[in-house]
Amino acid sequence: MKIKLISIPVRDQEKALKFYTEKLGFIKKKDEPLGGGNRWLTLVSKDWQDGPELLLEPAPNHFEPSKVYQEALMEAGIPWTQFDVQDVASEYERLTKLGVEFSTKPTEMGKVIFAVFNDTCGNNIQLVEEL
């Protein structure tokens, strides 16, 4: 068994595509219309283009429980998911310069350094560097 696809709920796929590609540096892999203005829109890491795909899922627009869960996580400050990076401090500096808003600055805890930012699409995302 292996992970091929994970999804992140977004309320605006075009806005999410712009944020995740232009600010975070992901690459668009698939972009197929599904009807009703929705798309099967996946991204991959530029450093691992054959790795798992990230689906920008428009679920909160069509499935109320998804919207409620997304809002509850955001209100509580809990990240939807995490992305591993080589150097959290460097990514924090790079993303801050691009206007990304962090709720948690780089913080060391045990064997990791982490930071949390708002993806502008309804989610907190955590960056993690293993020490």
Side-chain angles (χ1 to χ4, degrees):
M1 218 180 290
K2 63 182 177 179
I3 297 171
K4 175 68 177 159
L5 179 96
I6 61 167
S7 65
I8 291 181
V10 298
R11 301 197 184 178
D12 182 327
Q13 286 183 302
E14 192 57 39
K15 180 179 178 183
L17 175 63
K18 189 172 181 137
F19 181 86
Y20 279 81
T21 57
E22 294 179 8
K23 303 228 176 179
L24 301 186
F26 287 96
I27 297 170
K28 181 168 57 169
K29 182 154 186 175
K30 295 178 186 158
D31 190 354
E32 302 169 12
L34 296 174
N38 298 307
R39 299 146 64 182
W40 184 261
L41 183 56
T42 68
L43 310 173
V44 292
S45 168
K46 68 179 175 186
D47 300 324
W48 194 11
Q49 294 183 32
D50 293 326
E53 294 177 44
L54 178 65
L55 174 65
L56 300 178
E57 173 67 59
N61 297 329
H62 311 288
F63 187 58
E64 188 64 23
S66 176
K67 182 178 179 182
V68 169
Y69 183 61
Q70 182 189 38
E71 288 174 353
L73 286 178
M74 191 66 166
E75 263 184 47
I78 298 172
W80 182 271
T81 194
Q82 77 176 35
F83 300 135
D84 288 358
V85 296
Q86 292 292 325
D87 184 344
V88 167
S90 294
E91 281 299 310
Y92 172 82
E93 291 300 322
R94 182 183 77 80
L95 293 172
T96 299
K97 287 177 184 173
L98 292 172
V100 175
E101 294 181 15
F102 281 79
S103 59
T104 305
K105 294 180 180 181
T107 304
E108 188 171 332
M109 183 179 287
K111 296 184 178 186
V112 300
I113 298 173
F114 71 96
V116 179
F117 66 86
N118 180 330
D119 75 352
T120 74
C121 306
N123 306 292
N124 288 308
I125 305 293
Q126 181 169 272
L127 299 180
V128 174
E129 169 189 349
E130 293 185 36
L131 300 174

